[in-house]
Amino acid sequence: MMLGPGGLFAISESAPIRCQLRIRGVVQGVGFRPYVYNLARRHALGGFVLNSPRGVFIEIEGPAKTIEAFIAALSTEAPPLVRIADVMRSEIPAAGETEFSIHESDAEGSAFALVPPDICTCEACLADSRDAQNRRFDYPFTNCTNCGPRYSIIIDVPYDRPMTTMAEFAMCADCLREYKDPENRRFHAQPNACPVCGPRLILREPRASGEGPKSSRAILERVADILRDGGIVAWKGLGGYQLACDARQASAVEKLRRRKQRNEKPFAIMVGDAASAEKLCFLSEQERGVLESRERPIVLLRRRPGAELAESVSPGNPATGVMLPCTPMHDLLFRILRERWGREASLVMTSGNISEEPIVIENVEAEEHLAEIADAFAHHNRRIHTRVDDSVVRVVAGETMLLRRARGYAPQPVFLGRGEAEVLACGAQQKNTLCLTRAGFALPSQHLGDLENFETVRFFEETLERMSRLFHVQPTAVAHDLHPGYLSTQLAMKMENLRRIGVQHHHAHIASCMAEHRLGGRVIGVAWDGTGFGTDGTIWGGEFLAADYLGFERYARLRSVLLAGGDSGVREPWRVARSYLLEVFGEIPAEARWAEMAAPERLRIVDVMLNKRVNTIPTSSAGRLFDAVASLIGLRHSVSFEGQAAMMLEAAADGACGDASGQPYAFALEDAAPVNVDLRPMIREIVDDVRRGESQGRIAARFHATLVAAIAGVCERMREELQLDRVCLSGGCFQNALLLEGCVRRLRDDGFQVFTHREVPANDGGISLGQAAIACELLRQDA
């Protein structure tokens, strides 16, 4: 011993000490234990590492200086999928241990460990599956410690093979040797398998006679022929079934639309590599990076003129969702397609379900539910425990923005740091996700869908049960939307022995953005979307809030108009367009264009409803404003999917000028409580432009510029009055690239700190995170 700085005794550098470390974060199933093992051996340290429901435990023994170097390297040199949230360290008595080992996992207790998402195949495993001399040549289920299935196959923690659906496959001698070899990248890779001992493909053609092919290559060669001949194949992927057809064949794509009951909503496509994607779509370096990332999401890209794709892939939409192969199975298929078709292939690759139902995961279920859609089924015999659809992203304002958070991202945690409460947040009605909290972490689920049918409600309940078991969460409170008609709210109300916490929809939007960025205090929250139940019983959606986790002030809103016919007003933008015309002119102008929005009798009925305020509700919805303008300029009077009119309006503006920097129309800020953002002057000028024959694109561009100017104007007023300079932008309208980029640029130029979504969607898919953050803060304050 020697006297150290400040008079404290310190251990000499050469004397052995022993430290216990508890590592929390995404540290199971991502190659962390093998990494720790090899790192300890490199530093000649003794001890052990083990998985536990409470995280990864390490006991490490050796010279103090060496241990410090080891601990520093844990984060800086960790495998790419590792996310360390915190390290708890304590010194314990030295045991004289000089060798390091991996202990059997500790399954004791009901504690908590984070779980990694499913990850695309790494380059090393792809090389194995492409090498004719490798024992995994053409094997569709090749994986290692750094890639492959995780969340979709894990039943419980700790993450070991018996706790996954791979428990049904006993490793052969060769795989077991790799599994036990610390120098092998498959060391303790739980899904490790090969053609001898692992999962296998199974081809079923219900209308074919005779016995089909057996080998993986032969099965996929048959699949390639079916696709070439215009057929539709149901394909079991990582987190569920996908439906595939040749994206160049209009007849095949239209057949898939008819059978799947999906009229106009764009399909995503899969191509073999980024070079193929670039032949079809414009691709920035950042978009290329996201496309090739380990998450392998669908990336929305601007399609090239004359791209060799059927028009029916993305009808009336200049963007196409593109993804690359995420499994060896996909990679092998595209190699075979190239061989047999003599060209690069592009396949429609859409969720394996009937529209609006959850993705199918079971082999028998697939043949029952998809029998009227698919001509053939490419099954495999590895069970999917948790269904996870494909994620969808877009690169906006230099950031990757999630539109649908699922495979590759879920169930990555968001650290809240707002107490230890265990909460369930039930989310919204559309694009539903749920969120659980445990040990300071929020755990948003994968995308579940719109809670509008029995099948999706069952998926919600299934996901809640499985996530609660997996993360060992026993909620004491349930957070829910204020809308009494939402099934998510009704589910919360039926739960017994839980404290119920109602959260206003737009407050939850802003809280979710705050939680992502770990913001405290009050912020300016701009929450723009289609629908949210307000505290006054009306429909909100164009909101400016001064908000923190405990509450909000509704400082300003878009001036309300009447929405006629409830949900019909969402499906038929002409209804809200006529409402705006009445607000501006006092009557519907007597011109042919306004009489051609719908059938005469329907127009008459809606006009009566608006004039007499019958079956109408006031709304400040920004989403309905987009719909109204799309209808006024003749882009779209009715829609077949949510957001269609707004997407067309954005596309028209983008085609005209590429941004929201045009000359704004007039608007006014009316002094009131809350302040009214009066856009009637803009509507009047838009109508004048329509009468003059101004192009739809030019009008759409000026419309976007007006919204940016209005948002900036209200934020400036809030800063002056409330001394707030942090702005959170949330809600589905901020998935519009022109609006978001314009707002971010303008607000930052004006000296604001601007925060946007990165870890959860800006749309209603992010609501559950905000609900959870608010509930945790309320419970923390009450404790």
Side-chain angles (χ1 to χ4, degrees):
M1 306 289 286
M2 64 180 182
L3 193 65
L8 299 175
F9 282 98
I11 299 174
S12 69
E13 291 185 359
S14 60
I17 64 168
R18 191 175 182 92
C19 289
Q20 184 183 78
L21 308 174
R22 187 184 79 167
I23 318 291
R24 292 198 308 168
V26 181
V27 288
Q28 297 193 27
V30 289
F32 189 60
R33 284 182 300 166
Y35 161 69
V36 169
Y37 173 88
N38 286 304
L39 183 65
R41 291 187 64 196
R42 196 175 83 205
H43 285 83
L45 296 169
F48 64 86
V49 58
L50 64 81
N51 271 347
S52 157
R54 293 171 291 167
V56 170
F57 277 85
I58 302 170
E59 289 194 11
I60 197 78
E61 185 168 343
K65 187 175 181 179
T66 308
I67 286 180
E68 294 302 326
F70 168 87
I71 293 172
L74 278 177
S75 298
T76 59
E77 301 178 22
L81 306 186
V82 170
R83 292 180 62 183
I84 294 177
D86 64 72
V87 178
M88 295 182 65
R89 173 179 174 174
S90 59
E91 290 196 13
I92 58 177
E97 196 169 5
T98 58
E99 297 295 322
F100 197 88
S101 60
I102 295 179
H103 283 195
E104 289 296 317
S105 296
D106 174 13
E108 200 175 302
S110 61
F112 165 68
L114 297 172
V115 170
D118 299 306
I119 297 299
C120 79
T121 313
C122 70
E123 289 300 320
C125 284
L126 284 178
D128 287 347
S129 67
R130 295 169 180 173
D131 180 0
Q133 304 306 312
N134 192 289
R135 70 190 189 91
R136 290 186 173 85
F137 178 56
D138 282 352
Y139 184 54
F141 305 96
T142 302
N143 67 85
C144 72
T145 313
N146 297 319
C147 69
R150 298 292 190 274
Y151 181 50
S152 62
I153 66 168
I154 296 174
I155 299 169
D156 205 344
V157 293
Y159 174 59
D160 284 316
R161 196 177 182 103
M163 298 289 196
T164 74
T165 59
M166 285 298 295
E168 299 158 18
F169 300 93
M171 280 185 275
C172 66
D174 287 335
C175 285
L176 193 59
R177 190 178 306 112
E178 294 169 333
Y179 182 86
K180 291 181 176 181
D181 179 4
E183 305 299 325
N184 194 291
R185 77 172 194 279
R186 295 189 171 94
F187 181 46
H188 280 239
Q190 305 308 331
N192 189 29
C194 75
V196 173
C197 63
R200 297 183 180 184
L201 286 180
I202 305 158
L203 181 65
R204 284 269 297 131
E205 294 183 71
R207 286 176 282 278
S209 59
E211 195 169 319
K214 298 298 183 184
S215 75
S216 296
R217 173 166 278 274
I219 286 172
L220 295 182
E221 287 174 342
R222 176 60 187 147
V223 166
D225 292 345
I226 294 169
L227 293 170
R228 180 195 57 206
D229 295 340
I232 297 168
V233 175
W235 169 280
K236 190 175 183 180
L238 261 181
Y241 277 81
Q242 298 166 308
L243 292 164
C245 71
D246 182 2
R248 291 192 187 186
Q249 293 189 47
S251 58
V253 178
E254 288 157 10
K255 178 170 65 175
L256 178 56
R257 285 200 175 280
R258 287 194 307 273
R259 292 181 179 181
K260 190 174 161 68
Q261 302 169 31
R262 181 166 168 156
N263 295 330
E264 296 178 283
K265 193 173 183 180
F267 282 135
I269 64 168
M270 180 179 283
V271 296
D273 52 36
S276 299
E278 197 160 17
K279 292 176 183 176
L280 300 172
C281 299
F282 296 101
L283 193 63
S284 70
E285 281 306 306
Q286 188 171 0
E287 288 167 333
R288 178 188 293 271
V290 178
L291 193 65
E292 295 179 327
S293 69
R294 59 178 175 263
E295 291 83 8
R296 281 292 196 278
I298 297 168
V299 184
L300 291 191
L301 301 173
R302 191 157 55 93
R303 196 168 56 254
R304 291 183 183 275
E308 292 189 70
L309 292 172
E311 176 61 29
S312 48
V313 170
S314 307
N317 192 317
T320 297
V322 181
M323 60 178 155
L324 302 185
C326 63
T327 70
M329 188 163 33
H330 292 99
D331 180 73
L332 175 56
L333 175 63
F334 273 87
R335 284 191 281 129
I336 289 171
L337 291 171
R338 193 179 301 116
E339 294 167 6
R340 294 179 86 82
W341 293 10
R343 62 172 172 86
E344 296 297 329
S346 54
L347 300 179
V348 167
M349 197 70 77
T350 189
S351 303
N353 58 1
I354 301 292
S355 290
E356 310 310 326
E357 292 186 5
I359 190 170
V360 172
I361 60 172
E362 298 287 351
N363 297 10
V364 173
E365 177 192 22
E367 294 197 27
E368 291 174 353
H369 281 67
L370 306 179
E372 300 302 316
I373 302 177
D375 300 306
F377 296 84
H379 300 303
H380 60 72
N381 61 343
R382 183 180 69 206
R383 283 192 303 114
I384 297 171
H385 181 68
T386 299
R387 65 188 87 217
V388 193
D389 213 331
D390 297 314
S391 292
V392 183
V393 308
R394 187 180 193 182
V395 175
V396 180
E399 300 286 349
T400 300
M401 180 173 67
L402 281 161
L403 307 183
R404 184 168 75 193
R405 184 181 189 269
R407 177 185 52 76
Y409 297 92
Q412 292 279 29
V414 176
F415 185 67
L416 295 179
R418 316 206 77 78
E420 301 285 312
E422 297 185 19
V423 167
L424 162 65
C426 290
Q429 179 85 345
Q430 291 186 312
K431 300 177 178 64
N432 180 265
T433 62
L434 63 87
C435 184
L436 294 169
T437 67
R438 177 76 196 266
F441 291 95
L443 303 158
S445 76
Q446 69 273 32
H447 168 81
L448 303 180
D450 296 345
L451 290 180
E452 295 177 346
N453 53 52
F454 169 75
E455 290 80 9
T456 311
V457 171
R458 186 173 61 183
F459 184 23
F460 178 101
E461 294 171 335
E462 170 191 289
T463 303
L464 174 58
E465 185 274 326
R466 291 182 179 183
M467 286 185 68
S468 297
R469 183 176 69 248
L470 183 60
F471 296 111
H472 298 271
V473 177
Q474 295 181 319
T476 60
V478 57
H480 59 85
D481 197 273
L482 297 183
H483 198 307
Y486 281 4
L487 288 179
S488 58
T489 303
Q490 294 171 16
L491 287 166
M493 291 302 178
K494 292 177 183 177
M495 295 179 183
E496 298 179 351
N497 303 317
L498 296 179
R499 176 177 170 180
R500 299 188 184 101
I501 300 172
V503 179
Q504 200 281 322
H505 188 90
H506 301 96
H507 185 203
H509 266 307
I510 301 308
S512 69
C513 188
M514 293 175 67
E516 282 191 45
H517 296 277
R518 299 190 64 184
L519 301 179
R522 282 213 303 176
V523 302
I524 297 170
V526 186
W528 279 24
D529 63 2
T531 299
F533 194 73
T535 55
D536 59 0
T538 67
I539 301 301
W540 294 6
E543 310 308 311
F544 298 83
L545 310 179
D548 58 22
Y549 293 109
L550 296 177
F552 67 93
E553 171 195 353
R554 191 187 191 195
Y555 179 88
R557 63 173 183 180
L558 297 185
R559 189 180 186 277
S560 294
V561 297
L562 293 178
L563 182 64
D567 287 345
S568 296
V570 178
R571 294 189 295 270
E572 297 178 326
W574 63 266
R575 292 173 179 253
V576 71
R578 296 182 83 79
S579 184
Y580 270 102
L581 288 172
L582 282 170
E583 280 288 316
V584 172
F585 298 103
E587 60 182 2
I588 304 297
E591 298 168 51
R593 62 173 54 88
W594 314 125
E596 296 169 354
M597 291 174 155
E601 181 61 15
R602 301 190 71 214
L603 293 176
R604 187 191 67 78
I605 291 171
V606 167
D607 290 350
V608 170
M609 291 166 61
L610 291 169
N611 279 301
K612 295 189 175 183
R613 297 178 157 305
V614 175
N615 193 22
T616 61
I617 188 169
T619 180
S620 59
S621 167
R624 301 293 76 78
L625 172 65
F626 274 85
D627 289 348
V629 173
S631 178
L632 287 172
I633 68 176
L635 276 175
R636 195 83 195 191
H637 296 311
S638 63
V639 298
S640 64
F641 62 91
E642 191 250 343
Q644 185 178 15
M647 289 166 58
M648 294 180 70
L649 194 61
E650 178 190 357
D654 188 38
C657 66
D659 59 25
S661 62
Q663 177 65 36
Y665 290 115
F667 67 92
L669 300 182
E670 297 179 340
D671 288 328
V675 170
N676 274 321
V677 180
D678 186 0
L679 295 172
R680 289 177 299 176
M682 176 191 73
I683 297 295
R684 183 180 293 275
E685 291 185 13
I686 286 175
V687 169
D688 289 344
D689 274 354
V690 170
R691 287 167 171 163
R692 283 194 294 267
E694 183 64 82
S695 72
Q696 293 174 330
R698 180 62 182 159
I699 296 172
R702 291 190 67 191
F703 166 73
H704 281 80
T706 308
L707 300 187
V708 171
I711 288 170
V714 175
C715 288
E716 182 58 42
R717 188 161 168 170
M718 293 179 74
R719 176 164 61 183
E720 290 175 2
E721 293 185 18
L722 305 176
Q723 288 74 54
L724 302 175
D725 70 350
R726 297 179 298 168
V727 181
C728 290
L729 303 175
S730 188
C733 290
F734 288 109
Q735 292 183 157
N736 178 312
L738 296 186
L739 180 64
L740 183 62
E741 288 172 344
C743 286
V744 169
R745 181 171 55 248
R746 172 68 182 273
L747 291 169
R748 286 179 177 163
D749 286 347
D750 290 347
F752 288 96
Q753 299 178 65
V754 185
F755 300 92
T756 61
H757 286 278
R758 296 177 186 174
E759 298 192 58
V760 298
N763 61 35
D764 283 4
I767 284 281
S768 62
L769 174 62
Q771 292 173 342
I774 289 168
C776 284
E777 182 63 17
L778 284 170
L779 294 171
R780 186 167 75 123
Q781 294 295 322
D782 291 348

